[in-house]
Amino acid sequence: MSDEPRQKPSNFIRDIILEHNASGRFGGAVITRFPPEPNGYLHIGHAEAISIDFGLAREFGGRCHLRFDDTNPIKESQEYVDSIIDTVRWLGFDWGKHLYYASDYFEQLYAWAVQLIEAGKAYVDDLTPDQMSEYRGTLTEPGRESPYRDRSIEENLDLFRRMRAGEFEDGARTLRAKIDMASGNINLRDPVMYRIRKATHHRTGDAWCIYPMYDWAHGQSDSIEGVTHSICTLEYEDHRPLYDWYLDQLGVHHPQQIEFARLNLSHTIMSKRKLVELVQQGLVSGWDDPRMWTLAGLRRRGYTPEAIRDFAERVGVAKAAKVVDIAFLEHCLREDLNRRADRRMAVLRPLKVVIENYPEGQVGEMEAVNNPEDPAAGSRRVPFSRVLYIEQDDFRDPAPPKYFRLSPGAEVRLRYAYIVKCTGVERDASGQVVTVRCTYDADSRGGDSRGRKVKGTIHWVSASHSIPAEVRLYDHLFSVPKPDDADDWKTVLNPRSLEVVRGARLEPALAGADRGSRFQFERQGYFCVDARDSAPARLVFNRTVGLRDTWAKIEKGAG
Ligand code: ATP
Ligand code: MG
């Protein structure tokens, strides 16, 4: 519940920083970085990392860099760089002038590689990729040394220079660190530092045909930038000894690497490879498809940066992997939208209602509060007339038990307006109800005058004043909570993840609503104007989230 004081989740990373500050390890400095590889769009898991990296820097009066670890030109692109910059900014974080690229360090990294060769700590290897993995050994068996491991320093320097000069084909040679083929940590079994890739890089163009491996670039990039706390996800724990080895050999500044568990969210997958597949195979309409948990998708769906930041903070930092229920993300969103979204009436599937005793041509104006949570949001006037639309679902003939909406002979309140009573229906040839006939009680306007109460209240729009819209209703893209557990994740896509409702009718206050603007459609949920497809003459709304809070139920069930 929103009013209860929130317990700040314990945070072991904060504790480590406090310890460092107490011992003076980094002189009190807290410099972090968020280091995406520009090989896809950011997703909700990245929001967790961003919020930790930028959040801790802000908390300790330090700074956080945005650095692109752009070491693999084959999978990276400027489009991804641009989207990441735009998204981190949208989330509300600021790196000031500290925008960096690992590719800016290519020359320095090359010089350091030469330094390792000169120290006898790196060598050029001619093993093919297949041979190399055969030589690597397994978790239980040590690896074997490459026959090229003992090349002379002079030969290594010459070959490495010629690798850079483009004399050899892709994959023909690599530069490897000379560490320990028997190490229990496979990352230390002479890891590759450079590979030949005759590919054009989105920033360095064709200046290079050898590219550093991520592991050779990452720790040194942190070091160059003076990063103090290099926060990353758990899969890098086993790489930490390698980063330390490199930094020790080079005798340069050591950040402290700290690992935390990745965020997993139910009904989603986080692997970028699979996200790329979803997009490239057209299983979604793009990276910003509103069903996607990419930050671009969530943004288009109508999520606010505040809700995402709140979610990230409340999920907290953990050392053990867990799957967070997507209902919790939706819960955080509802809390935020409840405070900020203006209320409107929208009829998604219209059913015509004629108020027989309301004079033809007369137009009433009903006062409607914009947001009961925010008095400053004011109110508006909603036109009322003889012919209205209500939701098809709000009428039944005959009424099932405990149905408190409209049915023959029954009374219902029209929100902000009058109590009406159903006097009859008109049906088409197939027996379908096409018009509901009612009378209204002129004394019942607004509240419950004369002490008369009715059980149901329904929303409505005046037919001639209403405006048309397309409304897109979304459900989870996957029909199971853990799509990664399926034999093939593509077989558990939810066939009903998108429903397009074409004939919706909206109250006229929504005319010309700006792209991206958010509303609560009363009794239905939160909706936003689609930022891509909506136009003043053809409004398109996305359902951001329904009103029913499944998280509250889950919590109740657990407690
Ligand atoms: P890959 O490395 O497979 O391309 P990635 O998701 O690790 O994918 P990066 O660009 O390397 O993508 O991620 C940037 C930062 O975000 C890294 O520090 C990474 O640890 C962090 N990160 C990525 N996924 C998550 C997640 N699900 N939860 C928390 N942090 C994440
Ligand atoms: Mg990664």
Side-chain angles (χ1 to χ4, degrees):
M1 241 145 275
S2 56
D3 306 341
E4 281 173 20
R6 227 171 252 161
Q7 223 184 320
K8 231 185 170 144
S10 75
N11 183 334
F12 72 95
I13 302 180
R14 182 180 292 129
D15 294 342
I16 293 172
I17 295 177
L18 285 169
E19 248 171 66
H20 288 161
N21 285 355
S23 70
R25 165 121 180 241
F26 296 109
V30 177
I31 301 169
T32 61
R33 84 285 172 267
F34 173 62
E37 185 182 351
N39 59 355
Y41 279 54
L42 298 178
H43 54 59
I44 185 73
H46 293 113
E48 177 73 25
I50 292 168
S51 123
I52 294 168
D53 295 328
F54 281 92
L56 287 169
R58 184 183 289 173
E59 182 178 333
F60 286 96
R63 63 169 198 257
C64 181
H65 302 175
L66 176 60
R67 183 182 70 244
F68 288 96
D69 276 337
D70 52 351
T71 55
N72 184 1
I74 291 170
K75 293 193 168 169
E76 298 163 3
S77 76
Q78 189 61 40
E79 178 199 347
Y80 296 143
V81 170
D82 294 341
S83 80
I84 290 169
I85 288 178
D86 185 49
T87 299
V88 180
R89 219 174 251 143
W90 173 76
L91 258 190
F93 296 102
D94 183 14
W95 49 90
K97 56 184 188 333
H98 301 283
L99 174 64
Y100 301 112
Y101 296 84
S103 54
D104 286 343
Y105 309 141
F106 281 176
E107 201 58 60
Q108 173 68 73
L109 290 168
Y110 181 84
W112 273 333
V114 168
Q115 191 181 320
L116 286 201
I117 295 173
E118 286 170 341
K121 300 287 185 179
Y123 62 97
V124 172
D125 198 357
D126 299 356
L127 289 183
T128 65
D130 281 348
Q131 288 171 321
M132 208 182 285
S133 61
E134 191 198 315
Y135 274 70
R136 186 173 298 123
T138 64
L139 285 172
T140 49
E141 283 167 60
R144 281 178 295 138
E145 295 185 352
S146 164
Y148 304 98
R149 197 174 197 258
D150 292 318
R151 277 181 161 143
S152 71
I153 289 172
E154 288 67 35
E155 190 183 1
N156 282 319
L157 286 173
D158 176 59
L159 285 172
F160 188 47
R161 188 187 49 74
R162 288 164 60 197
M163 277 169 65
R164 178 179 184 170
E167 285 187 29
F168 313 117
E169 289 315 303
D170 279 19
R173 294 200 151 96
T174 55
L175 183 75
R176 298 178 71 178
K178 195 188 272 190
I179 308 180
D180 178 7
M181 287 308 292
S183 173
N185 183 341
I186 291 183
N187 293 301
L188 295 179
R189 293 184 188 168
D190 291 11
V192 173
M193 296 163 62
Y194 276 91
R195 61 232 193 281
I196 303 171
R197 283 260 160 98
K198 295 192 170 157
T200 303
H201 187 280
H202 55 101
R203 294 190 76 246
T204 58
D206 294 320
W208 294 86
C209 65
I210 56 170
Y211 288 95
M213 297 299 289
Y214 184 88
D215 280 350
W216 170 245
H218 189 80
Q220 281 79 272
S221 299
D222 280 351
S223 179
I224 290 168
E225 293 172 20
V227 166
T228 56
H229 299 86
S230 177
I231 303 164
C232 60
T233 37
L234 277 178
E235 73 269 24
Y236 293 104
E237 197 166 19
D238 290 346
H239 297 239
R240 176 155 35 92
L242 174 58
Y243 299 163
D244 284 337
W245 189 88
Y246 284 142
L247 297 170
D248 284 343
Q249 298 305 316
L250 298 170
V252 294
H253 161 75
H254 267 253
Q256 175 65 55
Q257 177 171 306
I258 307 167
E259 305 90 7
F260 69 96
R262 277 176 178 258
L263 170 72
N264 295 300
L265 192 65
S266 77
H267 296 89
T268 72
I269 49 176
M270 293 294 178
S271 149
K272 267 198 231 159
R273 182 178 58 75
K274 293 176 185 170
L275 288 169
V276 168
E277 258 184 272
L278 276 174
V279 173
Q280 288 182 350
Q281 297 187 9
L283 299 169
V284 292
S285 66
W287 285 100
D288 67 350
D289 186 305
R291 293 167 295 181
M292 293 276 270
W293 46 95
T294 52
L295 295 171
L298 295 174
R299 177 182 182 177
R300 188 169 161 203
R301 174 86 168 249
Y303 274 73
T304 61
E306 289 83 354
I308 294 172
R309 293 202 305 260
D310 183 42
F311 167 77
E313 184 162 323
R314 288 163 77 176
V315 162
V317 188
K319 199 74 184 169
K322 61 178 170 189
V323 180
V324 176
D325 196 311
I326 197 165
F328 182 60
L329 175 63
E330 294 174 344
H331 172 77
C332 294
L333 176 65
R334 264 187 216 101
E335 276 191 4
D336 188 39
L337 291 178
N338 182 42
R339 285 188 289 262
R340 68 167 74 222
D342 276 1
R343 275 54 168 171
R344 294 288 182 266
M345 290 197 286
V347 174
L348 300 194
R349 295 173 182 87
L351 173 62
K352 192 167 141 190
V353 172
V354 176
I355 315 284
E356 292 169 319
N357 59 341
Y358 198 86
E360 209 139 354
Q362 181 172 320
V363 180
E365 288 196 322
M366 304 295 139
E367 176 95 5
V369 167
N370 282 330
N371 184 350
E373 302 289 322
D374 177 14
S379 64
R380 68 194 185 282
R381 289 171 184 282
V382 186
F384 184 91
S385 67
R386 180 180 162 89
V387 182
L388 312 173
Y389 290 126
I390 64 167
E391 212 67 62
Q392 287 169 16
D393 258 1
D394 286 335
F395 179 82
R396 283 282 180 281
D397 178 19
K402 295 197 173 155
Y403 186 80
F404 299 123
R405 291 173 263 172
L406 205 55
S407 59
E411 281 191 321
V412 77
R413 171 168 295 284
L414 298 176
R415 182 95 165 121
Y416 306 119
Y418 304 97
I419 292 172
V420 295
K421 179 174 187 166
C422 174
T423 54
V425 297
E426 286 163 27
R427 294 174 189 274
D428 64 11
S430 70
Q432 190 81 16
V433 174
V434 287
T435 305
V436 175
R437 307 201 74 86
C438 289
T439 54
Y440 86 114
D441 174 352
D443 292 334
S444 65
R445 180 168 169 161
D448 47 11
S449 46
R450 300 189 307 192
R452 217 146 68 71
K453 281 203 172 122
V454 289
K455 281 212 167 128
T457 297
I458 63 175
H459 60 276
W460 53 276
V461 295
S462 164
S464 63
H465 299 90
S466 67
I467 54 170
E470 175 178 316
V471 179
R472 298 173 181 171
L473 306 177
Y474 302 103
D475 196 355
H476 301 316
L477 188 64
F478 291 107
S479 49
V480 297
K482 293 183 179 179
D484 275 319
D485 287 357
D487 288 339
D488 175 1
W489 59 273
K490 275 182 251 171
T491 61
V492 290
L493 285 163
N494 175 7
R496 278 177 288 279
S497 58
L498 169 62
E499 183 187 354
V500 179
V501 177
R502 292 220 157 75
R505 306 293 306 190
L506 317 177
E507 67 164 274
L510 284 164
D514 291 335
R515 284 178 171 188
S517 52
R518 306 177 182 92
F519 300 93
Q520 183 194 102
F521 288 175
E522 294 211 28
R523 300 177 61 229
Q524 324 221 46
Y526 295 96
F527 292 74
C528 78
V529 182
D530 189 71
R532 194 182 277 286
D533 298 339
S534 195
R538 193 182 158 275
L539 284 173
V540 177
F541 279 85
N542 297 317
R543 181 171 66 196
T544 309
V545 67
L547 287 181
R548 209 162 42 122
D549 192 339
T550 45
W551 177 250
K553 257 197 206 151
I554 292 167
E555 251 185 343
K556 241 187 199 161

